[in-house]
Amino acid sequence: MSMMNHLSAFADRAVRAAVPALPKYAVALVDRRTGKPHMISGIPLVLMTCEPVTASQDLMRNRDPRLWDTFIERMDGKERRQ
């Protein structure tokens, strides 16, 4: 086997070592009337993202803010915000 066979794995590890990992967030759409997350086929709608504000804006597009809200949770547990 030549080095060319392992080049992509080496490049992936090099990029991970050189670039710091971005924090991950879970963004959920919440019904203000019930306080429960919006469900699709019994599964809560939660988006995983590195850009929580953009995801929150996308979820709230064309929704009444009196009825809907978003909940943003940082996945490493360091911070929570709404």
Side-chain angles (χ1 to χ4, degrees):
M1 231 180 234
S2 72
M3 181 61 177
M4 294 302 286
N5 293 344
H6 302 286
L7 189 57
S8 64
F10 174 75
D12 181 57
R13 287 186 181 88
V15 167
R16 288 184 190 188
V19 179
L22 296 174
K24 304 284 189 276
Y25 297 88
V27 182
L29 185 63
V30 178
D31 187 337
R32 285 182 179 265
R33 296 165 289 191
T34 63
K36 296 184 179 183
H38 179 60
M39 307 282 250
I40 298 174
S41 297
I43 301 170
L45 175 62
V46 178
L47 301 178
M48 305 302 287
T49 182
C50 293
E51 300 177 2
V53 174
T54 303
S56 178
Q57 291 169 347
D58 288 343
L59 285 172
M60 289 299 293
R61 184 177 299 130
N62 298 325
R63 294 187 194 272
D64 186 348
R66 293 173 295 170
L67 302 177
W68 297 99
D69 196 6
T70 56
F71 179 75
I72 301 171
E73 181 177 12
R74 189 167 173 170
M75 294 309 295
D76 60 9
K78 289 185 179 176
E79 111 185 48
R80 286 186 176 179
R81 64 182 175 184
Q82 282 187 316

